[in-house]
Amino acid sequence: MRYAYFTLAFLVVLTVSVLGFRGSTFTRPPMMVFPDTFFPEMNHQAKYKPQASSTFFADGRADRPLPAGVVSRNPLRDDDHLYRGKTANGQWAKGFPAAVAVDARLIARGRERYTIYCAPCHGALGDGKGIVTQYNWGAPANFHSDVFRSMPEGQIFDTITNGAKTMFSYGDKLVPEDRWAVIAYVRALQRAQNARVNDVEANHKQELGIK
Amino acid sequence: MSKIFPKSANRLPLQIIIFLIVLLGVVTTATNYYATPKYTRVGYAPVQPVPYSHALHVDKLGLDCRYCHSNVEKSGVANLPTAQTCMNCHSQVRTDSPLLAPVRAAYQSGEPINWVRIHQVPDYVYFNHSVHVNRGVSCVSCHGQINQMEVVAHAKSLSMGFCLDCHRNPQANVRPLDQVTNLNWNADQVKIDGKPHAEWAAEFVKNNKIKPPQSCTGCHR
């Protein structure tokens, strides 16, 4: 009987030394509690998931690129101002499109999106001193220069959509409505950096120590 | 006539039964300890084609999670970034780093980088990122302190028990929506709208009608 217990103790030590403890770091693919061999079509089912791989397509991707000449099923984007930042005669549109209501909600949304996608380069203040400038980036645009203060909203929209100079397109990250929200926030930043005493409402002057 | 069995054989049946009980206990304990994602998945840190450091990009540079995982609020899937997303900065920064060669190659050719997936629920489990982050569940709740990881490792078990713990008590894991991607946020150290977290969370759950499903079909659909 003693030998049975010795054998059991040996097996416990063997198991622990082979399998180790919970939580240790490892690089090999995780073990399956229900291996695919014995439980086929359970953990890994014959379906494609986003950004997954495929053995069927030559390029190995489950996500398929759009075929040439494909037509979007989404509603037609015929509002040039809203979707391209241009007026009917092809000029950069000034001001915001009619479909976008410029209100506090839009600016708050713009602030959030700006902080995520724009601030790393252009800085929280829009002065072009984002974190990338500490890594030999060069000079991201400073929105408080005259060029950008006088730039039509439509041209800023186009820059976000298609990029400009060293800036790449952010069209995949910001939908058109978000791009207008960001523009509204950039306009707010520009105004904040060039504010005059008269811009402060009377009831807030005392808080700021202005007479 | 001598006895066939020694006298000690009288105790043998009882001893065998006791051994079998001990054996059963050991096997149960071992299964309980090893046959769970707490053992099989936690700690999984595969070698990636590019040694991307979340600690550098998130904690040191201050990038938001959504800069790269840009569709997490809109989609069920927290997407991996496109090569262009990397090149937004790396077209200028560290342009000749050999570590970034796969990124440059992917950007040139359009072929994807073969990142190794770490967090993965089984195919019979439905999970949607957007519904969680839009209800105040932070990335850190399921992925751990990614912002401090040089190499991403699987931090939480993501077992069914793990999901149900929160689905039964969502108050413990919700936070203000503007803090969802702030992985250093600590519920114990802040007051929200002048209230301690527990009180705020109870109201937040009630006002937003957060009723996480606990039925089987909620996730196994």
Side-chain angles (χ1 to χ4, degrees):
Chain A
M1 206 65 232
R2 194 183 306 157
Y3 294 108
Y5 282 101
F6 281 152
T7 313
L8 181 61
F10 174 72
L11 284 176
V12 168
V13 172
L14 187 73
T15 311
V16 171
S17 48
V18 170
L19 295 180
F21 295 105
R22 279 182 186 175
S24 50
T25 306
F26 58 96
T27 53
R28 53 170 176 74
M31 250 169 31
M32 304 291 288
V33 176
F34 299 103
D36 289 343
T37 322
F38 303 113
F39 301 88
E41 286 293 297
M42 194 167 100
N43 274 294
H44 297 107
Q45 299 168 5
K47 63 184 178 187
Y48 285 143
K49 293 193 151 186
Q51 296 191 312
S53 62
S54 160
T55 50
F56 180 77
F57 295 106
D59 64 0
R61 278 188 274 183
D63 291 350
R64 303 314 305 152
L66 298 178
V70 69
V71 175
S72 171
R73 292 179 63 215
N74 294 327
L76 183 63
R77 293 186 160 188
D78 58 349
D79 184 339
D80 268 343
H81 193 165
L82 178 61
Y83 293 115
R84 279 168 286 281
K86 291 189 174 173
T87 58
N89 54 17
Q91 302 289 307
W92 295 125
K94 288 200 170 69
F96 288 82
V100 174
V102 183
D103 51 17
R105 196 194 56 78
L106 185 80
I107 294 178
R109 172 79 179 168
R111 176 182 181 165
E112 186 195 50
R113 297 293 114 177
Y114 179 93
T115 309
I116 299 170
Y117 299 113
C118 315
C121 292
H122 294 292
L125 294 177
D127 54 5
K129 291 180 184 158
I131 186 79
V132 295
T133 55
Q134 296 175 23
Y135 292 83
N136 299 324
W137 173 277
N142 172 5
F143 297 141
H144 308 304
S145 64
D146 289 339
V147 181
F148 292 99
R149 284 171 59 77
S150 58
M151 185 180 270
E153 279 81 357
Q155 194 178 352
I156 304 179
F157 182 90
D158 184 73
T159 307
I160 300 174
T161 312
N162 299 316
K165 296 181 186 167
T166 51
M167 173 177 158
F168 287 8
S169 160
Y170 278 74
D172 61 332
K173 301 195 164 43
L174 296 164
V175 295
E177 287 73 13
D178 282 345
R179 290 171 223 165
W180 288 110
V182 167
I183 294 167
Y185 184 65
V186 168
R187 288 293 188 230
L189 285 176
Q190 289 174 334
R191 205 168 149 193
Q193 292 293 306
N194 290 273
R196 300 274 175 277
V197 174
N198 291 338
D199 293 334
V200 183
E201 287 176 29
N203 54 344
H204 291 300
K205 279 190 180 177
Q206 202 181 355
E207 300 166 16
L208 297 169
I210 308 168
K211 294 229 166 137
Chain B
M1 187 182 167
S2 63
K3 285 175 274 189
I4 298 173
F5 294 107
K7 195 156 194 198
S8 64
N10 288 344
R11 296 200 305 274
L12 204 56
L14 184 64
Q15 284 176 334
I16 290 174
I17 289 170
I18 291 173
F19 176 76
L20 287 177
I21 291 171
V22 170
L23 182 69
L24 188 70
V26 169
V27 170
T28 309
T29 310
T31 311
N32 207 16
Y33 187 82
Y34 285 120
T36 155
K38 286 176 194 162
Y39 168 75
T40 57
R41 296 208 70 96
V42 171
Y44 180 39
V47 178
Q48 301 286 0
V50 181
Y52 175 87
S53 164
H54 280 79
L56 170 67
H57 289 83
V58 181
D59 240 19
K60 192 164 171 218
L61 306 184
L63 290 183
D64 192 282
C65 308
R66 294 166 287 184
Y67 186 89
C68 301
H69 307 290
S70 50
N71 287 337
V72 67
E73 295 166 304
K74 291 178 271 187
S75 159
V77 181
N79 59 303
L80 290 169
T82 59
Q84 190 205 308
T85 305
C86 309
M87 293 300 277
N88 281 342
C89 292
H90 287 292
S91 60
Q92 305 283 318
V93 179
R94 306 260 190 278
T95 49
D96 46 9
S97 167
L99 298 177
L100 287 166
V103 174
R104 290 191 294 268
Y107 180 66
Q108 293 289 334
S109 68
E111 295 290 318
I113 302 168
N114 292 319
W115 299 105
V116 183
R117 185 156 183 176
I118 301 171
H119 299 87
Q120 186 162 33
V121 290
D123 278 0
Y124 52 83
V125 177
Y126 174 82
F127 178 81
N128 186 315
H129 274 88
S130 66
V131 79
H132 287 85
V133 296
N134 288 326
R135 291 291 186 282
V137 179
S138 170
C139 321
V140 74
S141 296
C142 301
H143 296 290
Q145 294 262 281
I146 294 272
N147 60 327
Q148 294 168 6
M149 295 182 193
E150 290 285 340
V151 178
V152 176
H154 206 301
K156 306 286 174 94
S157 69
L158 308 189
S159 64
M160 189 164 111
F162 175 86
C163 296
L164 278 173
D165 278 347
C166 186
H167 273 227
R168 287 178 178 141
N169 181 26
Q171 283 91 335
N173 279 296
V174 293
R175 56 174 72 186
L177 293 179
D178 57 353
Q179 300 297 333
V180 165
T181 57
N182 176 5
L183 304 193
N184 289 323
W185 190 85
N186 188 334
D188 301 330
Q189 289 174 356
V190 290
K191 289 217 163 183
I192 310 150
D193 306 335
K195 295 168 201 151
H197 177 257
E199 194 184 325
W200 172 87
E203 284 176 26
F204 181 80
V205 167
K206 186 162 171 273
N207 294 342
N208 289 284
K209 300 189 173 63
I210 298 175
K211 291 172 188 157
Q214 292 172 31
S215 65
C216 312
T217 50
C219 308
H220 306 294
R221 43 177 74 181

